[in-house]
Amino acid sequence: MFGKSWRRLAPLAVLPALLLAACGGSGDSSSDGGSSSDTIKVGLLHSLSGTMAISEVTVRDSELLAIEQINAKGGVLGKKLVPVVEDGASDWPTFAEKAQKLISQDKVATVFGGWTSASRKAMLPVFERNKSLLWYPVQYEGLEQSPYIFYTGATTNQQIVPALDYLKEQGKKKIFLVGSDYVFPRTANKIIKAYAGANGMDVLGEEYLPLGSTEVSTIVNKIQQAKPDFVFNTLNGDSNVAFFKQLKSAGIGPDQIPTMSVSIAEEEVKAIGAEYLSGQYVAWNYYQTTDTPANTEFVKAFKAKYGSDKVTSDPMEAGYNAVNLWAAAVAKAGTTEVEAVKKAAGGISLDLPEGKVTIDGPTQHVYKTARIGLIGADGQIKSIWDSGSPIKPDPYLKGAEYPWAKGLSS
Amino acid sequence: MNGFLNQLPIGLSIGAVLLLAALGLTFTFGQMGVINMAHGEFIMVGAYTTYMLQSWAGHNAVIAALPVAFVVAGLFGVILERTLIRRFYGRPLDTLLLTWGVSLILQQLVRDLIDNRGVQVVAPDWLIGGADLGGIRIPYNRVYIFCLAAVCLVGIWFYMSRTPAGRRMRAVMQNRELAACSAVRTDRVDQITFFIGSGLAGVAGVALTLVGTVSPTLGTKYIVDAFLVVVVGGLGQLRGALIAAFALGLLNSYVEFWSNASLAKVIVFVAIVAFLQARPQGMFVLRSRALT
């Protein structure tokens, strides 16, 4: 009798210990911001397992490379950086949980992490509550500006809008939208439709595929019937493979109906197969072929560390940038303390693989050059058009040059 | 109008994929009443067999892999039946949990041993592209899948209705006790049934490499649809599976044409629920004199 009830109560006995640990954690976290006498801890939080691992592992690799390079040059504030790597497991609540763990248990100075918008949205309240910093390295749908997140990937006016500008310049008028059924494609398509309406373009169709679905033939048939000038593709993950295979077997090549993709970079081209993608367009801010001295060095260092068959891509470069920008901000602030780093970060400008990258203080996004790329038969992407100079980030599209975007941010 | 006609081959090809995925289940689920959640993973095993054979057979792997995938997936099935499922006959809920666990283990094994992300099977040149038939586009890879489904169907029909082994299988399916009394070794028949059922899943896996990525979760995408086909068609009914697969395929393709992919899925599910309300036993019923 006693034994039975004891067993039932046993878990309760652990509770006080847990509470103590939690209080202890939050009590200490503000004191030293992850720095001890000769090291600074930083967190890397990406999916190392599950469906997103294919993409996120590569970002972690480039962030580790940046940390290694910084340490080789003597570290930050004379202290070595120590990465604490956690696995978000492609599961959004896990991202929030691991972020909390990095902040209160490991007491990291900052976290670099995330890929999908869903994982960012899950982590956002954690960082705001703890007044801790997250550096998010992937292009996204905009309409967000957290005081505790720095966005080193493109927002819409640095990727999607320039892509539409380019297509308009080419005289393409009839567009067809294809995307995966979740927040990024739906928000992106809302923006695209507003742009199209104001610029005399016709949206002939808007189709969504459940994430992971490979039954794309009906959508391809609809594209075939609608005969658009181009397809704007915001599909994510495996669906892209099925989509481009089906386009090919339906006899729709880039000569007939070209596609413009915003989620396919070098790594994905390698996975899908260049033979299905050559001649198609993509929109990013960086390609492995981008011609800057910093990029030559970045590609060389990456291949030396991870193997000569590896490719570099836009999100990897943005992750690499994030680490370098944070280190520069800490050096300027003279401390890893979050508010001081935030204040110091505005206006910091570095020569990085994609060119000159400057942090915009008020939005905590970065200036980025938009580049339209053409996929070659060798799987590499060549820039065929760029915006000339870095574009000022405008996550809510409030600028005077985007009059058509009024009402999107509400 | 062309768009409307174009949906016909699309619907038929979805139906063919469904039929291939469900054929094996009509045996294991239909005959033995085993709710085998690992059936999807046998599809995956077939797909990965094709991927492995690629280094040896090159672009013709989708042909060479057919017999190999059948045997490999079949052996997986027999091993599962001999080691685990055999001990759980008559306990459908336990079997469901058990086989679900097995499916998770198999998925993780593939992640650890092969690759945690999707891999590609390159189709031979003669399967890329398609033909135009009076404005209707017929992709070659779908023709291949359709033919494969037809061959499997005919093969199974022949086996069941024209061979002594097939007769024994039907005997066990209709009345296990009576078959056992008539000197049919039912456990032996169970083994063969499981081998064929799982092997057919392997063949489905080979076909699916032509449609999309080969990934550890390939099987889970099809397992629910496969069960639906079996339930709608009626347990253990070849005819039922055939009609149900193509009915669902065509329904899906036309509803999606008029609405969108997510809504089509919902409408098809609602239609199935409504149908099962009216006919819980499925389209066709196995007539037997068993007292159960």
Side-chain angles (χ1 to χ4, degrees), chain A residues 54 181 207-208 212 214-215 217-218 221-222 225 238 241-242 245-246 248-251 267 271, chain B residues 2-3 6-7 10 14 117 120-121 129-130 137 142 209 211 213 221-222 256-257 259-262:
Chain A
I54 168 177
D181 203 355
E207 292 293 330
Y208 296 97
T214 50
E215 201 41 79
S217 30
T218 301
N221 185 26
K222 285 182 182 176
Q225 302 312 315
D238 288 352
V241 183
K245 277 190 176 177
Q246 188 62 34
K248 186 136 191 166
S249 58
E267 189 69 30
Chain B
N2 260 351
N6 256 327
Q7 285 304 111
I10 292 172
I14 297 177
R117 49 199 198 188
Q120 303 299 321
V121 170
R137 184 79 187 177
R142 298 302 181 137
T209 61
V211 180
T213 327
K221 281 182 208 155
Y222 287 94
E256 187 180 342
F257 188 64
S259 58
N260 62 58
S262 305

mmCIF file of all heavy atoms in Angstrom, chain A residues 54 181 207-208 212 214-215 217-218 221-222 225 238 241-242 245-246 248-251 267 271, chain B residues 2-3 6-7 10 14 117 120-121 129-130 137 142 209 211 213 221-222 256-257 259-262:
data_model
loop_
_atom_site.group_PDB
_atom_site.id
_atom_site.type_symbol
_atom_site.label_atom_id
_atom_site.label_comp_id
_atom_site.label_asym_id
_atom_site.label_seq_id
_atom_site.Cartn_x
_atom_site.Cartn_y
_atom_site.Cartn_z
ATOM 1 N N ILE A 54 18.417 18.546 -43.967
ATOM 2 C CA ILE A 54 19.119 18.700 -45.247
ATOM 3 C C ILE A 54 19.635 20.122 -45.425
ATOM 4 O O ILE A 54 20.756 20.348 -45.850
ATOM 5 C CB ILE A 54 18.208 18.308 -46.435
ATOM 6 C CG1 ILE A 54 18.837 18.748 -47.761
ATOM 7 C CG2 ILE A 54 16.827 18.909 -46.322
ATOM 8 C CD1 ILE A 54 18.058 18.341 -48.981
ATOM 9 N N ASP A 181 1.821 24.829 -48.694
ATOM 10 C CA ASP A 181 0.698 25.399 -47.943
ATOM 11 C C ASP A 181 1.103 25.739 -46.509
ATOM 12 O O ASP A 181 0.793 25.004 -45.591
ATOM 13 C CB ASP A 181 -0.470 24.405 -47.962
ATOM 14 C CG ASP A 181 -1.785 25.123 -47.725
ATOM 15 O OD1 ASP A 181 -1.751 26.337 -47.459
ATOM 16 O OD2 ASP A 181 -2.831 24.465 -47.810
ATOM 17 N N GLU A 207 -1.857 28.234 -56.587
ATOM 18 C CA GLU A 207 -2.068 26.859 -56.128
ATOM 19 C C GLU A 207 -1.145 26.525 -54.969
ATOM 20 O O GLU A 207 0.023 26.925 -54.961
ATOM 21 C CB GLU A 207 -1.797 25.887 -57.277
ATOM 22 C CG GLU A 207 -2.809 25.964 -58.403
ATOM 23 C CD GLU A 207 -4.194 25.485 -57.984
ATOM 24 O OE1 GLU A 207 -4.275 24.610 -57.103
ATOM 25 O OE2 GLU A 207 -5.192 25.993 -58.536
ATOM 26 N N TYR A 208 -1.679 25.814 -53.994
ATOM 27 C CA TYR A 208 -0.872 25.392 -52.852
ATOM 28 C C TYR A 208 -0.865 23.882 -52.735
ATOM 29 O O TYR A 208 -1.883 23.234 -52.962
ATOM 30 C CB TYR A 208 -1.406 26.003 -51.561
ATOM 31 C CG TYR A 208 -1.294 27.500 -51.541
ATOM 32 C CD1 TYR A 208 -2.380 28.297 -51.875
ATOM 33 C CD2 TYR A 208 -0.095 28.108 -51.224
ATOM 34 C CE1 TYR A 208 -2.278 29.676 -51.891
ATOM 35 C CE2 TYR A 208 0.026 29.476 -51.227
ATOM 36 C CZ TYR A 208 -1.072 30.260 -51.558
ATOM 37 O OH TYR A 208 -0.954 31.616 -51.579
ATOM 38 N N GLY A 212 5.337 18.504 -48.341
ATOM 39 C CA GLY A 212 5.755 17.116 -48.484
ATOM 40 C C GLY A 212 5.002 16.351 -49.555
ATOM 41 O O GLY A 212 5.380 15.246 -49.903
ATOM 42 N N THR A 214 3.793 14.985 -53.109
ATOM 43 C CA THR A 214 4.504 14.824 -54.368
ATOM 44 C C THR A 214 3.542 14.643 -55.540
ATOM 45 O O THR A 214 3.963 14.376 -56.651
ATOM 46 C CB THR A 214 5.445 13.609 -54.313
ATOM 47 O OG1 THR A 214 4.705 12.487 -53.835
ATOM 48 C CG2 THR A 214 6.604 13.865 -53.382
ATOM 49 N N GLU A 215 2.241 14.754 -55.280
ATOM 50 C CA GLU A 215 1.277 14.561 -56.372
ATOM 51 C C GLU A 215 1.016 15.919 -57.031
ATOM 52 O O GLU A 215 0.086 16.631 -56.679
ATOM 53 C CB GLU A 215 -0.007 13.938 -55.813
ATOM 54 C CG GLU A 215 -0.856 13.237 -56.844
ATOM 55 C CD GLU A 215 -0.065 12.411 -57.843
ATOM 56 O OE1 GLU A 215 0.364 11.281 -57.511
ATOM 57 O OE2 GLU A 215 0.137 12.897 -58.961
ATOM 58 N N SER A 217 0.850 16.544 -60.475
ATOM 59 C CA SER A 217 0.487 16.559 -61.897
ATOM 60 C C SER A 217 -0.718 17.442 -62.187
ATOM 61 O O SER A 217 -0.782 18.070 -63.239
ATOM 62 C CB SER A 217 0.270 15.135 -62.406
ATOM 63 O OG SER A 217 -0.189 14.293 -61.388
ATOM 64 N N THR A 218 -1.670 17.523 -61.250
ATOM 65 C CA THR A 218 -2.831 18.372 -61.501
ATOM 66 C C THR A 218 -2.424 19.838 -61.585
ATOM 67 O O THR A 218 -2.896 20.578 -62.459
ATOM 68 C CB THR A 218 -3.885 18.175 -60.390
ATOM 69 O OG1 THR A 218 -4.269 16.812 -60.380
ATOM 70 C CG2 THR A 218 -5.105 19.033 -60.644
ATOM 71 N N ASN A 221 -0.848 20.458 -64.844
ATOM 72 C CA ASN A 221 -1.888 20.546 -65.882
ATOM 73 C C ASN A 221 -2.547 21.919 -65.870
ATOM 74 O O ASN A 221 -2.796 22.516 -66.930
ATOM 75 C CB ASN A 221 -2.926 19.446 -65.652
ATOM 76 C CG ASN A 221 -3.969 19.401 -66.761
ATOM 77 O OD1 ASN A 221 -3.698 19.815 -67.888
ATOM 78 N ND2 ASN A 221 -5.163 18.920 -66.432
ATOM 79 N N LYS A 222 -2.829 22.434 -64.668
ATOM 80 C CA LYS A 222 -3.447 23.757 -64.585
ATOM 81 C C LYS A 222 -2.515 24.820 -65.172
ATOM 82 O O LYS A 222 -2.970 25.754 -65.834
ATOM 83 C CB LYS A 222 -3.768 24.097 -63.130
ATOM 84 C CG LYS A 222 -4.985 23.358 -62.583
ATOM 85 C CD LYS A 222 -5.263 23.789 -61.156
ATOM 86 C CE LYS A 222 -6.449 23.016 -60.580
ATOM 87 N NZ LYS A 222 -6.684 23.347 -59.178
ATOM 88 N N GLN A 225 -2.723 24.638 -68.894
ATOM 89 C CA GLN A 225 -3.946 25.210 -69.462
ATOM 90 C C GLN A 225 -3.926 26.734 -69.385
ATOM 91 O O GLN A 225 -4.403 27.416 -70.280
ATOM 92 C CB GLN A 225 -5.185 24.680 -68.726
ATOM 93 C CG GLN A 225 -5.332 23.178 -68.741
ATOM 94 C CD GLN A 225 -5.145 22.589 -70.120
ATOM 95 O OE1 GLN A 225 -5.687 23.103 -71.095
ATOM 96 N NE2 GLN A 225 -4.361 21.533 -70.220
ATOM 97 N N ASP A 238 10.689 18.537 -50.424
ATOM 98 C CA ASP A 238 10.577 17.459 -51.404
ATOM 99 C C ASP A 238 9.641 17.755 -52.569
ATOM 100 O O ASP A 238 9.800 17.211 -53.653
ATOM 101 C CB ASP A 238 10.066 16.180 -50.716
ATOM 102 C CG ASP A 238 11.124 15.570 -49.823
ATOM 103 O OD1 ASP A 238 12.258 16.058 -49.869
ATOM 104 O OD2 ASP A 238 10.800 14.628 -49.092
ATOM 105 N N VAL A 241 11.163 18.571 -55.916
ATOM 106 C CA VAL A 241 11.687 17.489 -56.744
ATOM 107 C C VAL A 241 10.594 16.987 -57.675
ATOM 108 O O VAL A 241 10.764 16.907 -58.897
ATOM 109 C CB VAL A 241 12.200 16.338 -55.864
ATOM 110 C CG1 VAL A 241 12.799 15.254 -56.728
ATOM 111 C CG2 VAL A 241 13.208 16.851 -54.857
ATOM 112 N N ALA A 242 9.436 16.654 -57.081
ATOM 113 C CA ALA A 242 8.325 16.138 -57.862
ATOM 114 C C ALA A 242 7.869 17.166 -58.885
ATOM 115 O O ALA A 242 7.560 16.843 -60.037
ATOM 116 C CB ALA A 242 7.172 15.755 -56.939
ATOM 117 N N LYS A 245 10.364 17.429 -61.843
ATOM 118 C CA LYS A 245 10.313 16.202 -62.646
ATOM 119 C C LYS A 245 9.063 16.197 -63.518
ATOM 120 O O LYS A 245 9.090 15.860 -64.691
ATOM 121 C CB LYS A 245 10.304 14.972 -61.729
ATOM 122 C CG LYS A 245 11.684 14.549 -61.266
ATOM 123 C CD LYS A 245 11.645 13.191 -60.575
ATOM 124 C CE LYS A 245 13.049 12.759 -60.207
ATOM 125 N NZ LYS A 245 13.079 11.492 -59.473
ATOM 126 N N GLN A 246 7.924 16.585 -62.895
ATOM 127 C CA GLN A 246 6.659 16.559 -63.613
ATOM 128 C C GLN A 246 6.643 17.611 -64.728
ATOM 129 O O GLN A 246 6.136 17.357 -65.813
ATOM 130 C CB GLN A 246 5.514 16.791 -62.627
ATOM 131 C CG GLN A 246 4.125 16.607 -63.214
ATOM 132 C CD GLN A 246 3.906 15.192 -63.708
ATOM 133 O OE1 GLN A 246 4.425 14.236 -63.136
ATOM 134 N NE2 GLN A 246 3.149 15.041 -64.793
ATOM 135 N N LYS A 248 9.115 18.540 -66.424
ATOM 136 C CA LYS A 248 9.917 17.995 -67.512
ATOM 137 C C LYS A 248 9.135 16.955 -68.304
ATOM 138 O O LYS A 248 9.126 16.974 -69.524
ATOM 139 C CB LYS A 248 11.193 17.386 -66.943
ATOM 140 C CG LYS A 248 12.155 16.934 -68.007
ATOM 141 C CD LYS A 248 13.573 17.338 -67.665
ATOM 142 C CE LYS A 248 14.468 17.121 -68.873
ATOM 143 N NZ LYS A 248 15.752 17.779 -68.759
ATOM 144 N N SER A 249 8.432 16.049 -67.593
ATOM 145 C CA SER A 249 7.728 15.010 -68.350
ATOM 146 C C SER A 249 6.479 15.558 -69.025
ATOM 147 O O SER A 249 5.975 14.968 -69.965
ATOM 148 C CB SER A 249 7.410 13.796 -67.468
ATOM 149 O OG SER A 249 6.646 14.181 -66.367
ATOM 150 N N ALA A 250 5.996 16.720 -68.575
ATOM 151 C CA ALA A 250 4.877 17.341 -69.279
ATOM 152 C C ALA A 250 5.387 18.153 -70.466
ATOM 153 O O ALA A 250 4.603 18.724 -71.217
ATOM 154 C CB ALA A 250 4.094 18.238 -68.330
ATOM 155 N N GLY A 251 6.700 18.198 -70.628
ATOM 156 C CA GLY A 251 7.262 18.906 -71.765
ATOM 157 C C GLY A 251 7.297 20.413 -71.602
ATOM 158 O O GLY A 251 7.355 21.150 -72.572
ATOM 159 N N GLU A 267 22.517 23.949 -52.761
ATOM 160 C CA GLU A 267 22.351 22.676 -52.075
ATOM 161 C C GLU A 267 21.137 21.919 -52.628
ATOM 162 O O GLU A 267 21.187 20.717 -52.858
ATOM 163 C CB GLU A 267 22.170 22.957 -50.576
ATOM 164 C CG GLU A 267 22.194 21.747 -49.672
ATOM 165 C CD GLU A 267 23.573 21.107 -49.584
ATOM 166 O OE1 GLU A 267 24.577 21.812 -49.705
ATOM 167 O OE2 GLU A 267 23.607 19.878 -49.397
ATOM 168 N N ALA A 271 20.562 18.361 -54.831
ATOM 169 C CA ALA A 271 19.672 17.274 -54.417
ATOM 170 C C ALA A 271 18.654 16.922 -55.497
ATOM 171 O O ALA A 271 18.347 15.759 -55.721
ATOM 172 C CB ALA A 271 18.956 17.646 -53.120
ATOM 173 N N ASN B 2 -9.412 20.733 -72.967
ATOM 174 C CA ASN B 2 -8.196 19.951 -72.894
ATOM 175 C C ASN B 2 -7.776 19.680 -71.458
ATOM 176 O O ASN B 2 -7.313 18.603 -71.130
ATOM 177 C CB ASN B 2 -7.066 20.697 -73.607
ATOM 178 C CG ASN B 2 -6.853 20.147 -75.001
ATOM 179 O OD1 ASN B 2 -7.428 19.126 -75.341
ATOM 180 N ND2 ASN B 2 -6.043 20.822 -75.781
ATOM 181 N N GLY B 3 -7.951 20.729 -70.636
ATOM 182 C CA GLY B 3 -7.594 20.591 -69.235
ATOM 183 C C GLY B 3 -8.390 19.473 -68.599
ATOM 184 O O GLY B 3 -7.863 18.642 -67.860
ATOM 185 N N ASN B 6 -7.142 16.209 -69.867
ATOM 186 C CA ASN B 6 -5.809 15.943 -69.319
ATOM 187 C C ASN B 6 -5.868 15.341 -67.928
ATOM 188 O O ASN B 6 -4.959 14.647 -67.510
ATOM 189 C CB ASN B 6 -5.004 17.239 -69.267
ATOM 190 C CG ASN B 6 -3.987 17.291 -70.376
ATOM 191 O OD1 ASN B 6 -3.449 16.268 -70.779
ATOM 192 N ND2 ASN B 6 -3.732 18.469 -70.886
ATOM 193 N N GLN B 7 -6.946 15.655 -67.196
ATOM 194 C CA GLN B 7 -7.052 15.127 -65.839
ATOM 195 C C GLN B 7 -7.305 13.617 -65.842
ATOM 196 O O GLN B 7 -7.071 12.948 -64.849
ATOM 197 C CB GLN B 7 -8.191 15.821 -65.071
ATOM 198 C CG GLN B 7 -7.871 17.231 -64.619
ATOM 199 C CD GLN B 7 -6.619 17.315 -63.776
ATOM 200 O OE1 GLN B 7 -5.607 17.855 -64.202
ATOM 201 N NE2 GLN B 7 -6.667 16.784 -62.573
ATOM 202 N N ILE B 10 -4.137 11.712 -65.550
ATOM 203 C CA ILE B 10 -3.602 12.020 -64.222
ATOM 204 C C ILE B 10 -4.325 11.203 -63.157
ATOM 205 O O ILE B 10 -3.719 10.572 -62.302
ATOM 206 C CB ILE B 10 -3.718 13.530 -63.924
ATOM 207 C CG1 ILE B 10 -2.776 14.304 -64.835
ATOM 208 C CG2 ILE B 10 -3.414 13.827 -62.466
ATOM 209 C CD1 ILE B 10 -2.942 15.806 -64.759
ATOM 210 N N ILE B 14 -2.778 8.359 -60.706
ATOM 211 C CA ILE B 14 -2.884 8.374 -59.235
ATOM 212 C C ILE B 14 -3.495 7.053 -58.784
ATOM 213 O O ILE B 14 -3.054 6.426 -57.824
ATOM 214 C CB ILE B 14 -3.750 9.556 -58.746
ATOM 215 C CG1 ILE B 14 -3.115 10.893 -59.129
ATOM 216 C CG2 ILE B 14 -3.930 9.496 -57.225
ATOM 217 C CD1 ILE B 14 -3.954 12.100 -58.748
ATOM 218 N N ARG B 117 18.506 12.566 -45.490
ATOM 219 C CA ARG B 117 17.710 13.393 -46.394
ATOM 220 C C ARG B 117 17.364 12.579 -47.632
ATOM 221 O O ARG B 117 17.878 11.484 -47.820
ATOM 222 C CB ARG B 117 18.489 14.638 -46.760
ATOM 223 C CG ARG B 117 19.868 14.307 -47.180
ATOM 224 C CD ARG B 117 20.765 15.508 -47.113
ATOM 225 N NE ARG B 117 21.926 15.225 -47.923
ATOM 226 C CZ ARG B 117 22.996 15.985 -47.989
ATOM 227 N NH1 ARG B 117 23.024 17.111 -47.338
ATOM 228 N NH2 ARG B 117 24.015 15.651 -48.737
ATOM 229 N N GLN B 120 17.919 10.642 -54.817
ATOM 230 C CA GLN B 120 17.250 10.636 -56.109
ATOM 231 C C GLN B 120 17.548 9.364 -56.887
ATOM 232 O O GLN B 120 18.655 8.859 -56.830
ATOM 233 C CB GLN B 120 17.725 11.822 -56.961
ATOM 234 C CG GLN B 120 17.524 13.156 -56.334
ATOM 235 C CD GLN B 120 16.064 13.410 -56.078
ATOM 236 O OE1 GLN B 120 15.209 13.052 -56.890
ATOM 237 N NE2 GLN B 120 15.763 14.005 -54.950
ATOM 238 N N VAL B 121 16.539 8.888 -57.624
ATOM 239 C CA VAL B 121 16.777 7.839 -58.594
ATOM 240 C C VAL B 121 16.622 8.488 -59.967
ATOM 241 O O VAL B 121 15.614 9.132 -60.247
ATOM 242 C CB VAL B 121 15.768 6.686 -58.433
ATOM 243 C CG1 VAL B 121 15.887 5.720 -59.598
ATOM 244 C CG2 VAL B 121 16.009 5.969 -57.115
ATOM 245 N N GLY B 129 9.856 12.670 -70.287
ATOM 246 C CA GLY B 129 9.079 13.261 -71.375
ATOM 247 C C GLY B 129 7.750 12.562 -71.533
ATOM 248 O O GLY B 129 7.342 11.759 -70.689
ATOM 249 N N GLY B 130 7.044 12.870 -72.613
ATOM 250 C CA GLY B 130 5.738 12.268 -72.790
ATOM 251 C C GLY B 130 5.270 12.420 -74.219
ATOM 252 O O GLY B 130 5.962 13.001 -75.058
ATOM 253 N N ARG B 137 -1.748 15.172 -72.862
ATOM 254 C CA ARG B 137 -0.362 14.864 -72.606
ATOM 255 C C ARG B 137 -0.263 13.567 -71.803
ATOM 256 O O ARG B 137 -0.877 13.439 -70.740
ATOM 257 C CB ARG B 137 0.256 16.013 -71.814
ATOM 258 C CG ARG B 137 1.709 15.878 -71.569
ATOM 259 C CD ARG B 137 2.510 16.265 -72.783
ATOM 260 N NE ARG B 137 3.912 15.962 -72.558
ATOM 261 C CZ ARG B 137 4.850 16.133 -73.479
ATOM 262 N NH1 ARG B 137 4.534 16.591 -74.670
ATOM 263 N NH2 ARG B 137 6.096 15.837 -73.212
ATOM 264 N N ARG B 142 4.292 7.818 -66.210
ATOM 265 C CA ARG B 142 2.984 7.394 -65.717
ATOM 266 C C ARG B 142 2.479 6.165 -66.472
ATOM 267 O O ARG B 142 1.788 5.314 -65.912
ATOM 268 C CB ARG B 142 1.979 8.538 -65.835
ATOM 269 C CG ARG B 142 2.345 9.755 -64.999
ATOM 270 C CD ARG B 142 2.458 9.374 -63.533
ATOM 271 N NE ARG B 142 2.775 10.511 -62.695
ATOM 272 C CZ ARG B 142 2.203 10.768 -61.535
ATOM 273 N NH1 ARG B 142 1.304 9.951 -61.045
ATOM 274 N NH2 ARG B 142 2.556 11.813 -60.831
ATOM 275 N N THR B 209 9.750 5.775 -57.197
ATOM 276 C CA THR B 209 10.997 6.524 -57.410
ATOM 277 C C THR B 209 10.895 7.406 -58.643
ATOM 278 O O THR B 209 11.625 8.371 -58.786
ATOM 279 C CB THR B 209 12.207 5.584 -57.608
ATOM 280 O OG1 THR B 209 11.970 4.781 -58.756
ATOM 281 C CG2 THR B 209 12.423 4.720 -56.401
ATOM 282 N N VAL B 211 8.312 9.188 -59.381
ATOM 283 C CA VAL B 211 7.427 10.326 -59.117
ATOM 284 C C VAL B 211 8.115 11.405 -58.296
ATOM 285 O O VAL B 211 8.004 12.590 -58.589
ATOM 286 C CB VAL B 211 6.154 9.850 -58.385
ATOM 287 C CG1 VAL B 211 5.228 11.017 -58.118
ATOM 288 C CG2 VAL B 211 5.456 8.794 -59.211
ATOM 289 N N THR B 213 11.015 12.190 -54.596
ATOM 290 C CA THR B 213 12.232 11.860 -53.856
ATOM 291 C C THR B 213 12.092 10.531 -53.142
ATOM 292 O O THR B 213 10.999 10.145 -52.759
ATOM 293 C CB THR B 213 12.465 12.903 -52.742
ATOM 294 O OG1 THR B 213 12.000 14.145 -53.189
ATOM 295 C CG2 THR B 213 13.910 12.990 -52.369
ATOM 296 N N LYS B 221 3.658 8.474 -46.379
ATOM 297 C CA LYS B 221 2.793 9.301 -47.228
ATOM 298 C C LYS B 221 1.691 8.462 -47.866
ATOM 299 O O LYS B 221 0.648 8.975 -48.213
ATOM 300 C CB LYS B 221 3.620 9.937 -48.347
ATOM 301 C CG LYS B 221 4.415 11.135 -47.907
ATOM 302 C CD LYS B 221 5.141 11.707 -49.121
ATOM 303 C CE LYS B 221 6.402 12.411 -48.692
ATOM 304 N NZ LYS B 221 7.398 12.458 -49.769
ATOM 305 N N TYR B 222 1.975 7.165 -48.079
ATOM 306 C CA TYR B 222 1.035 6.361 -48.848
ATOM 307 C C TYR B 222 0.230 5.383 -48.007
ATOM 308 O O TYR B 222 -0.752 4.833 -48.472
ATOM 309 C CB TYR B 222 1.790 5.602 -49.947
ATOM 310 C CG TYR B 222 2.231 6.524 -51.047
ATOM 311 C CD1 TYR B 222 3.484 7.091 -51.052
ATOM 312 C CD2 TYR B 222 1.352 6.863 -52.078
ATOM 313 C CE1 TYR B 222 3.877 7.967 -52.048
ATOM 314 C CE2 TYR B 222 1.728 7.730 -53.079
ATOM 315 C CZ TYR B 222 2.994 8.278 -53.056
ATOM 316 O OH TYR B 222 3.365 9.145 -54.040
ATOM 317 N N GLU B 256 -9.518 18.126 -57.432
ATOM 318 C CA GLU B 256 -8.396 19.062 -57.340
ATOM 319 C C GLU B 256 -8.393 20.027 -58.517
ATOM 320 O O GLU B 256 -8.044 21.194 -58.378
ATOM 321 C CB GLU B 256 -7.074 18.303 -57.277
ATOM 322 C CG GLU B 256 -5.904 19.255 -57.013
ATOM 323 C CD GLU B 256 -4.551 18.562 -56.949
ATOM 324 O OE1 GLU B 256 -4.528 17.339 -56.761
ATOM 325 O OE2 GLU B 256 -3.538 19.261 -57.093
ATOM 326 N N PHE B 257 -8.796 19.540 -59.676
ATOM 327 C CA PHE B 257 -8.831 20.403 -60.858
ATOM 328 C C PHE B 257 -9.808 21.555 -60.651
ATOM 329 O O PHE B 257 -9.565 22.689 -61.046
ATOM 330 C CB PHE B 257 -9.220 19.580 -62.081
ATOM 331 C CG PHE B 257 -9.108 20.336 -63.371
ATOM 332 C CD1 PHE B 257 -7.875 20.787 -63.818
ATOM 333 C CD2 PHE B 257 -10.230 20.586 -64.138
ATOM 334 C CE1 PHE B 257 -7.758 21.485 -65.009
ATOM 335 C CE2 PHE B 257 -10.121 21.288 -65.331
ATOM 336 C CZ PHE B 257 -8.887 21.731 -65.761
ATOM 337 N N SER B 259 -10.972 22.586 -57.571
ATOM 338 C CA SER B 259 -10.720 23.362 -56.358
ATOM 339 C C SER B 259 -9.211 23.493 -56.171
ATOM 340 O O SER B 259 -8.540 24.089 -56.989
ATOM 341 C CB SER B 259 -11.375 22.692 -55.154
ATOM 342 O OG SER B 259 -10.903 21.360 -54.993
ATOM 343 N N ASN B 260 -8.654 22.937 -55.106
ATOM 344 C CA ASN B 260 -7.200 22.922 -54.956
ATOM 345 C C ASN B 260 -6.769 21.690 -54.175
ATOM 346 O O ASN B 260 -7.605 20.933 -53.686
ATOM 347 C CB ASN B 260 -6.710 24.209 -54.280
ATOM 348 C CG ASN B 260 -7.277 24.358 -52.886
ATOM 349 O OD1 ASN B 260 -7.094 23.501 -52.035
ATOM 350 N ND2 ASN B 260 -7.990 25.448 -52.663
ATOM 351 N N ALA B 261 -5.453 21.522 -54.066
ATOM 352 C CA ALA B 261 -4.925 20.260 -53.546
ATOM 353 C C ALA B 261 -5.395 19.945 -52.124
ATOM 354 O O ALA B 261 -5.794 18.823 -51.831
ATOM 355 C CB ALA B 261 -3.404 20.277 -53.597
ATOM 356 N N SER B 262 -5.363 20.968 -51.251
ATOM 357 C CA SER B 262 -5.730 20.707 -49.858
ATOM 358 C C SER B 262 -7.217 20.393 -49.739
ATOM 359 O O SER B 262 -7.619 19.469 -49.030
ATOM 360 C CB SER B 262 -5.387 21.913 -48.986
ATOM 361 O OG SER B 262 -4.034 22.240 -49.133
#
